[in-house]
Amino acid sequence: MSESNGDKISRIIISFILLLIAISCLAPVLNILSISLSGKQAVESGRVLLWPVDITLQSYETLFKGTRILSALGNGLLLTIGGVLLSMAFTICAAYPLSKKYFFGRRVFTLLILFTMVFSGGLIPTYLVVKSLGLIDTYWAIWMPGVISTFNMLIMRSYFEGISSEVEDAARIDGCNEWKLMSKIILPLSMPVIATLLLFYGVGYWNSFMSVLIYINSTHKYTITVLIQQMIQSQSLLTEALANDVTATQLIPEGIKSAGIIVLILPMVLIYPFLQRYFVQGVMLGSVKG
């Protein structure tokens, strides 16, 4: 069926609006990247917009030589990998039984979990509980209070519900118990939603900021998000970084700040293309039911 003129005009307008939105999201990132790769005089004169001028990697060299960026990166990776593994394990163990109609108390447990999306104990009670458990200044203080995201659990539960019951019946005939059914049959069929939630949890833990500031007291345990924030707000950190690198005479603080921001967002940018083919499918299929 041929497309009408009205549909063509609507499609063009929508495409133009989406293009403007994409440019508005991409332009700041390109500007920061350009500043991090540009020379001192080009940045100070305002000649750097969306393309680097007098390209140099000095900002990145100074960032890695003069700051704690490597240890902060390691802390961020530890927090993210550990948190994602814990969250995925608990989310799967919660979503799988709740997806079975024969599970006793399924509706009650679901309502209790949904209750937590509306009401919570608040920051101070949560801090007091974490402190009483002796978790302050450990990453467990960040992992445990939010180990399961209710929204993510509901997405996974809905996806599990959409898997054909005939597949489960065939597996049970072959002698699979619940654990084997979940690990050998259900999870391999659920790669789209697993990849989607891996990305959700990964971005959440990698960008953890307030929770690190609240629960972590030792500066050597700070993650890269906190370090970059401190670099942006504290001129002394940038002055120290410049002083530690004798070759940094052609740098300005804005270049190091921009380099730090690029290093912060780079891991997620590199990971996303590998999960993107599962991402849309996982979200759409996981939202069919629920």
Side-chain angles (χ1 to χ4, degrees):
M1 185 173 66
S2 60
E3 189 178 24
S4 64
N5 292 332
D7 292 338
K8 291 180 179 179
I9 294 175
S10 298
R11 180 168 56 82
I12 292 174
I13 293 175
I14 293 173
S15 300
F16 180 73
I17 294 174
L18 292 176
L19 178 62
L20 291 179
I21 294 174
I23 292 174
S24 66
C25 294
L26 188 60
V29 179
L30 292 178
N31 178 252
I32 293 173
L33 177 62
S34 299
I35 292 175
S36 70
L37 294 173
S38 298
K40 177 180 180 180
Q41 294 181 352
V43 176
E44 288 180 335
S45 63
R47 291 185 289 130
V48 180
L49 292 177
L50 300 180
W51 192 259
V53 179
D54 300 332
I55 297 178
T56 176
L57 296 177
Q58 188 64 52
S59 295
Y60 291 93
E61 294 178 8
T62 302
L63 177 68
F64 282 96
K65 289 180 180 179
T67 67
R68 303 187 307 270
I69 190 74
L70 290 177
S71 63
L73 273 172
N75 294 336
L77 289 174
L78 175 61
L79 177 65
T80 302
I81 294 174
V84 168
L85 292 177
L86 285 171
S87 293
M88 288 301 298
F90 279 89
T91 301
I92 290 171
C93 290
Y96 180 76
L98 292 177
S99 67
K100 305 305 176 186
K101 295 181 179 179
Y102 55 81
F103 177 63
F104 180 77
R106 174 175 179 259
R107 180 175 177 82
V108 174
F109 285 114
T110 302
L111 290 176
L112 289 174
I113 293 174
L114 286 174
F115 182 82
T116 64
M117 294 185 68
V118 183
F119 302 97
S120 64
L123 178 60
I124 295 177
T126 301
Y127 180 86
L128 293 177
V129 171
V130 171
K131 183 178 180 181
S132 65
L133 293 174
L135 301 179
I136 297 297
D137 207 26
T138 69
Y139 293 139
W140 289 101
I142 303 172
W143 291 333
M144 296 311 296
V147 70
I148 294 180
S149 166
T150 303
F151 176 75
N152 291 347
M153 191 279 294
L154 292 176
I155 290 179
M156 181 164 284
R157 188 204 66 169
S158 298
Y159 193 95
F160 287 164
E161 288 177 344
I163 295 177
S164 175
S165 59
E166 286 78 7
V167 175
E168 299 183 18
D169 294 338
R172 288 194 174 91
I173 292 174
D174 290 336
C176 284
N177 56 27
E178 290 295 341
W179 283 105
K180 285 187 177 181
L181 176 62
M182 182 182 71
S183 60
K184 302 295 185 181
I185 306 297
I186 301 301
L187 293 184
L189 293 175
S190 305
M191 286 307 299
V193 72
I194 289 175
T196 301
L197 298 192
L198 282 173
L199 189 61
F200 283 172
Y201 279 125
V203 171
Y205 281 113
W206 181 257
N207 292 330
S208 294
F209 174 71
M210 284 303 299
S211 55
V212 176
L213 285 180
I214 292 172
Y215 296 118
I216 304 299
N217 299 327
S218 302
T219 56
H220 68 273
K221 293 183 180 180
Y222 280 171
T223 59
I224 185 172
T225 53
V226 177
L227 179 64
I228 298 304
Q229 183 269 345
Q230 290 180 339
M231 287 176 55
I232 293 175
Q233 287 194 340
S234 176
Q235 191 70 23
S236 61
L237 289 177
L238 295 173
T239 303
E240 180 183 352
L242 291 171
N244 291 336
D245 190 354
V246 296
T247 64
T249 56
Q250 296 299 317
L251 289 179
I252 57 175
E254 284 72 14
I256 302 178
K257 293 177 185 178
S258 300
I261 294 173
I262 294 300
V263 173
L264 173 63
I265 66 176
L266 188 61
M268 293 297 108
V269 173
L270 294 178
I271 291 174
Y272 180 76
F274 296 98
L275 300 178
Q276 190 271 340
R277 65 190 183 109
Y278 297 110
F279 184 76
V280 175
Q281 183 183 2
V283 173
M284 295 300 293
L285 292 179
S287 61
V288 172
K289 293 184 179 181

